[in-house]
Amino acid sequence: NGAMLLFSAASGDLVAVLQDNGYLTDLRTAAASAMTTRELGRTDRTLGILGTGVQARLTALLHTQVLELDQIL
């Protein structure tokens, strides 16, 4: 499970609750991984991922957005 809370910077009042069941956390983790890989200057065109769940799928997807890959294992 997971949720994100949005508060007003002006008043501190709760503005919104995003009940995402952890999806935004999974997406943020995959995005950070892809960004880090890109910024490290990787030039190889093969990506290896251990795992098969939602995190592995999002990691593969977001890496394809920032790297020129020929193969994902």
Side-chain angles (χ1 to χ4, degrees), residues 1-4 18-26 54:
N1 291 331
M4 293 193 179
L18 304 172
Q19 187 71 33
D20 71 335
N21 296 320
Y23 179 75
L24 292 175
T25 297
D26 293 336
V54 66

Side-chain angles (χ1 to χ4, degrees), residues 21-23 25-27 30 49 51-61:
N21 296 320
Y23 179 75
T25 297
D26 293 336
L27 188 60
I49 298 175
T52 59
V54 66
Q55 189 65 65
R57 289 189 298 276
L58 287 171
T59 297
L61 174 66

Side-chain angles (χ1 to χ4, degrees), residues 4-66:
M4 293 193 179
L5 307 177
L6 176 65
F7 293 91
S8 167
S11 67
D13 293 336
L14 179 63
V15 176
V17 176
L18 304 172
Q19 187 71 33
D20 71 335
N21 296 320
Y23 179 75
L24 292 175
T25 297
D26 293 336
L27 188 60
R28 183 176 54 242
T29 300
S33 173
M35 180 190 71
T36 300
T37 302
R38 181 192 66 205
E39 294 304 311
L40 286 173
R42 298 290 304 258
T43 58
D44 50 320
R45 298 174 68 92
T46 299
L47 175 68
I49 298 175
L50 298 175
T52 59
V54 66
Q55 189 65 65
R57 289 189 298 276
L58 287 171
T59 297
L61 174 66
L62 292 181
H63 275 75
T64 64
Q65 303 300 308
V66 298

